[in-house]
């Protein structure tokens, strides 16, 4: 069980805690730690590692051999799921602001500082992020494509309005910077065992119920789409899972308590409101899944064109020089000079294969 109180470090003006659950991907963590070092990150990186022993040791050696201007903590959690690892990491957080990040995504530290400053000045906001770029990579880490992953603001005055808006048009708002005192309250549920609810849906719902959410006009994270992604099962499979119904009820009871605290009203009515939000989210998810299956089964031409696009993207990258791999895709976005520099640092780690050794 999570301790009731977490002691935070004082005098940590720029310090931020990053929680990273990982399994069997030490190469991803090596590259990401190097990126944070290049970008001048200040704070702590707490790695919850569920890897097999040899791969855990591989990352451990890398951390010991390299000097970082931030603290790197690696803890072993064999046979644990993503959300179980995060629960274990919560008591290790030292700083007032924190978030979790996947091991294959790259946060921009300069934007993290802007997010921290925003939360310092806006106490009715429970979280803040920026815009996300999705980078499609092939097996050789060449950049095939680059697209923006849009996320909306949730700035309605009431918790119910924000929760309703999120369930009607779902965004993964859990990728943002948060006050640690709020962040740890999104992962307290020992009966929450359905993976996607525990990892994503409940933290997102709880976030907008706790307070407003803002997207800054700054590059916040570079998210990587690659062949080694860990994919969640389809919605139809999840709904048949043994933990789904219990996890929904557990989440709704917690959300009902948050709504009662934030908006007032009767607890049972607020729990029912949360249930309705879940029902609508599931309804929209089923429609999206059915449309996706229909497209997949009926449109052979679309699949052929998609594969052709991938091949053309591959050959475009093959004949590009290393230094210009992502110049054309970057032109689609209005990036500031500092953001372009960060992207180039990310690209350099890919192109030069940095992080793929223990040195």
């Amino acid at each position: 069980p999570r301790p009731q109180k977490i002691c935070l470090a004082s005098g940590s003006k720029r310090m931020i805690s990053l929680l990273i659950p990982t399994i069997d991907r030490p190469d991803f963590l090596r590259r990401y730690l190097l990126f944070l070092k290049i970008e001048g990150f200040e704070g702590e990186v707490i790695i919850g590692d569920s890897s097999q022993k040899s791969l855990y040791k591989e990352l451990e050696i890398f951390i010991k051999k390299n000097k970082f201007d931030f603290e790197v903590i690696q803890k072993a959690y064999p046979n644990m799921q993503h959300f179980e690892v995060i629960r274990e990491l919560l008591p290790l957080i030292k700083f007032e602001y924190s978030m979790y990040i996947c091991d294959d995504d790259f946060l921009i530290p300069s934007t993290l500082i802007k997010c921290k400053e925003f939360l310092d000045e806006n106490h009715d906001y429970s979280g803040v992020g920026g815009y996300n770029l999705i980078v499609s990579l092939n097996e050789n880490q060449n950049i095939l494509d680059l697209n923006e992953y849009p996320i909306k603001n949730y700035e309605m005055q009431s918790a119910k309005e924000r929760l309703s808006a999120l369930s009607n048009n779902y965004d993964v708002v859990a990728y943002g910077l948060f006050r640690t005192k709020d962040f740890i309250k999104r992962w307290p549920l020992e009966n929450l065992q359905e993976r996607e609810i525990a990892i994503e849906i409940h933290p997102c719902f709880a976030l907008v119920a706790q307070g407003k959410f803002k997207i800054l006009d700054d590059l916040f994270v570079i998210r990587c789409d690659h062949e080694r992604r860990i994919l969640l099962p389809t919605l139809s499979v999840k709904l048949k899972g043994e933990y789904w119904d219990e996890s929904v009820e557990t989440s709704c009871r917690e959300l009902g308590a948050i709504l009662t605290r934030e908006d007032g009203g009767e607890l049972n009515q607020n729990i029912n409101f949360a249930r309705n939000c879940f029902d609508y989210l599931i309804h929209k998810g089923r429609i999206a899944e059915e449309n996706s299956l229909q497209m997949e089964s009926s449109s052979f031409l679309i699949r052929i064109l998609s594969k052709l696009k991938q091949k053309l993207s591959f050959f475009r990258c093959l004949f590009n020089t290393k230094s210009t791999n992502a110049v054309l895709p970057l032109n689609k976005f209005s990036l500031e000079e500092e953001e372009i520099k960060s992207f180039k640092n990310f690209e350099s780690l890919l192109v030069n294969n940095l992080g793929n050794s223990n040195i």
Side-chain angles (χ1 to χ4, degrees), residues 258-297:
I258 297 173
L259 294 173
T260 302
R261 185 179 68 244
E262 296 297 324
D263 287 353
E266 203 273 326
L267 176 61
N268 286 333
Q269 289 182 350
N270 288 328
I271 292 174
N272 285 331
F273 183 89
R275 288 193 187 109
N276 291 335
C277 289
F278 258 102
D279 288 344
Y280 196 76
L281 181 68
I282 293 167
H283 171 69
K284 294 200 72 174
R286 280 175 165 154
I287 292 174
E289 187 170 286
E290 289 171 2
N291 290 341
S292 177
L293 290 173
Q294 289 174 5
M295 182 177 295
E296 184 178 339
S297 62

